[in-house]
């Protein structure tokens, strides 16, 4: 959790208060920036991905930080994220775009320095595979018995 003291303006004046930014706030900002990056199909794996999809359909839900882990210090933050990318997108270029978007959003909104963004690409989304996943969800996916 980051905490900032706000001064009264000129040097030597007393502080006017403290601002605390929760880790979840940073995770939400980063998650939204990641999802807004063209070429990212989804963020998070398994349960966090499913919960994020459901939360995204429910009005007023904020699931922006699902699938995003952050470490927040006093002045710096680090971000870890699992993403699924769209087929055909150069992954190294997408990773650079994600890092740029997250850094810009987090630093602008919080004043924290983003020192590290670790991106784990866990899958490639192939258009048309969504129907297959729905059909297989009720059956066992074991290859051998």
């Amino acid at each position: 959790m980051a905490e900032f003291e706000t001064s009264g303006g000129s040097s030597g004046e007393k502080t006017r208060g403290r601002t605390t930014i929760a880790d979840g706030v940073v995770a939400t900002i980063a998650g939204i920036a990641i999802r807004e990056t063209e070429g990212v199909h989804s963020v998070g794996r398994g349960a966090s991905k499913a919960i994020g999809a459901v939360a995204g359909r429910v009005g007023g839900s904020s699931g922006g930080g699902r699938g995003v882990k952050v470490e927040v210090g006093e002045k710096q933050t680090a971000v870890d994220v699992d993403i699924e990318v769209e087929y055909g997108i150069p992954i190294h270029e997408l990773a650079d775009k994600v890092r740029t978007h997250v850094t810009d959003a987090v630093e602008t909104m919080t004043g924290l320095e983003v020192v590290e963004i670790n991106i784990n690409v866990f899958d490639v989304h192939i258009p048309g595979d969504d129907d297959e996943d729905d059909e297989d969800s009720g059956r066992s996916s074991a290859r051998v018995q």
Side-chain angles (χ1 to χ4, degrees):
M1 191 170 303
E3 290 189 21
F4 304 96
E5 299 255 343
T6 305
S7 64
S10 60
S11 61
E13 289 189 30
K14 295 182 181 179
T15 60
R16 295 178 58 195
R18 183 181 335 185
T19 304
T20 303
I21 302 173
D23 296 8
V25 171
V26 177
T28 298
I29 293 167
I32 291 169
I34 294 163
R35 283 177 179 81
E36 289 179 345
T37 305
E38 188 175 334
V40 174
H41 179 74
S42 64
V43 178
R45 296 176 171 226
S48 68
K49 182 177 167 184
I51 290 168
V54 170
R57 293 185 193 127
V58 177
S61 295
S62 86
R66 299 210 189 277
V68 179
K69 296 177 188 161
V70 298
E71 273 185 59
V72 181
E74 289 182 25
K75 297 179 182 180
Q76 298 178 325
T77 187
V79 179
D80 296 325
V81 63
D82 293 332
I83 63 172
E84 179 179 9
V85 302
E86 295 288 345
Y87 176 78
I89 302 294
I91 294 171
H92 62 284
E93 291 176 12
L94 178 60
D96 288 341
K97 288 179 187 176
V98 166
R99 286 186 177 96
T100 299
H101 288 166
V102 170
T103 300
D104 290 348
V106 170
E107 289 185 352
T108 298
M109 292 185 70
T110 67
L112 294 168
E113 177 188 8
V114 178
V115 294
E116 184 175 85
I117 301 172
N118 297 310
I119 301 169
N120 178 37
V121 178
F122 69 88
D123 202 359
V124 175
H125 177 260
I126 301 169
D129 274 0
D130 290 340
D131 297 334
E132 243 179 65
D133 292 344
D134 293 341
E135 292 171 9
D136 290 342
S137 63
R139 291 185 257 157
S140 172
S141 60
R143 295 184 344 165
V144 295
Q145 293 185 8

